[in-house]
Amino acid sequence: MASVLELATKLAQKYHAGQVLKQKKGHKNLDYFLYHLLEVKNILSSIGVPESTQTIGILHDILEDTKMTYETLVSKVGKDIADKVALLSEDKSLPKIERTKKYLGQIIKDKETISVSLADQVNNSSNLLKFPPTIIIADPDFISRQIKKYNLTLNRLKKIRLDKKQLLLYNMLKSNVKQLEKEHTKVS
């Protein structure tokens, strides 16, 4: 019988099929599952969090970015995991800053969602450093907004007690943000 993590991995592959991280012209677009969802799970695994946290990590965007419903997710992986995935889902009807503040208020309610959010942002910021996306050409303020979001996260989370594993992720994000700020000021 498959573990919940194995089931979640298959769900993420199925529901995120065809999604890509768009890259600069001349560069191949990156598969969203491989370069984001699986990487978030791998980051969490590398610091030794439980499988339940890794499961939440691989599913963290499924309610926000696919047709998966909360009810279906509950039936597949259980209420506890589905509830935590729901906490990690942003309300896209809100303006960006308001959405980020609401999201941060949601994720601090649970140790696992803090870890997943940090791993998510570590991966996103790492991908911005390694694979600058197409959106930068169409939206030159994109990186500035991302840096602002990452700094909001860092400022909010420094006010709460993080465990050792979360501190590792926090420091990884902080390092990536410093690098993004350095790279972005070179280009600006």
Side-chain angles (χ1 to χ4, degrees), residues 8 13 73 99 117 137-138 148 151 155 157 162 164 177 184:
Q13 282 179 301
L73 190 59
R99 176 189 335 167
S117 179
I137 297 163
K148 189 173 186 175
N151 279 321
N155 288 331
L157 293 180
L162 300 175
K164 288 180 183 180
V177 170
H184 187 60

Side-chain angles (χ1 to χ4, degrees), residues 58-95:
I58 206 149
L59 293 172
H60 77 275
D61 281 337
I62 204 161
L63 294 175
E64 185 177 324
D65 294 341
T66 76
K67 294 183 187 293
M68 170 67 78
T69 65
Y70 171 78
E71 294 75 18
T72 301
L73 190 59
V74 168
S75 75
K76 300 286 187 188
V77 296
K79 185 171 175 12
D80 186 54
I81 288 172
D83 285 348
K84 291 174 184 181
V85 171
L87 287 175
L88 288 155
S89 299
E90 293 185 22
D91 181 350
K92 292 186 175 182
S93 70
L94 296 173

Side-chain angles (χ1 to χ4, degrees), residues 8-177:
T9 301
K10 288 177 183 172
L11 284 172
Q13 282 179 301
K14 176 183 175 183
Y15 279 83
H16 289 280
Q19 292 180 354
V20 295
L21 299 171
K22 293 187 178 179
Q23 298 303 296
K24 285 184 178 179
K25 190 173 184 167
H27 292 82
K28 187 178 178 200
N29 289 338
L30 304 173
D31 180 88
Y32 190 77
F33 174 78
L34 289 175
Y35 284 87
H36 183 59
L37 301 173
L38 198 56
E39 284 301 312
V40 168
K41 179 241 172 248
N42 290 340
I43 290 167
L44 292 165
S45 176
S46 75
I47 63 165
V49 300
E51 267 197 20
S52 62
T53 309
Q54 295 173 50
T55 299
I56 296 160
I58 206 149
L59 293 172
H60 77 275
D61 281 337
I62 204 161
L63 294 175
E64 185 177 324
D65 294 341
T66 76
K67 294 183 187 293
M68 170 67 78
T69 65
Y70 171 78
E71 294 75 18
T72 301
L73 190 59
V74 168
S75 75
K76 300 286 187 188
V77 296
K79 185 171 175 12
D80 186 54
I81 288 172
D83 285 348
K84 291 174 184 181
V85 171
L87 287 175
L88 288 155
S89 299
E90 293 185 22
D91 181 350
K92 292 186 175 182
S93 70
L94 296 173
K96 187 72 171 158
I97 293 296
E98 191 178 331
R99 176 189 335 167
T100 299
K101 288 179 181 177
K102 181 179 178 186
Y103 168 82
L104 290 172
Q106 291 171 185
I107 62 133
I108 63 167
K109 296 175 183 177
D110 181 82
K111 179 181 173 178
E112 287 183 300
T113 58
I114 292 169
S115 297
V116 171
S117 179
L118 281 166
D120 176 32
Q121 293 184 60
V122 164
N123 177 256
N124 287 338
S125 58
S126 294
N127 281 343
L128 281 177
L129 289 165
K130 290 188 277 189
F131 312 111
T134 308
I135 195 166
I136 295 169
I137 297 163
D139 183 358
D141 295 327
F142 177 75
I143 295 230
S144 295
R145 285 195 311 277
Q146 290 304 110
I147 290 170
K148 189 173 186 175
K149 178 183 177 178
Y150 300 143
N151 279 321
L152 277 171
T153 300
L154 292 169
N155 288 331
R156 181 66 174 105
L157 293 180
K158 77 179 178 185
K159 297 174 186 173
I160 65 172
R161 185 175 172 89
L162 300 175
D163 66 30
K164 288 180 183 180
K165 293 172 184 178
Q166 291 167 335
L167 280 171
L168 281 170
L169 295 168
Y170 180 94
N171 288 326
M172 290 167 76
L173 178 59
K174 190 174 179 180
S175 174
N176 284 354
V177 170

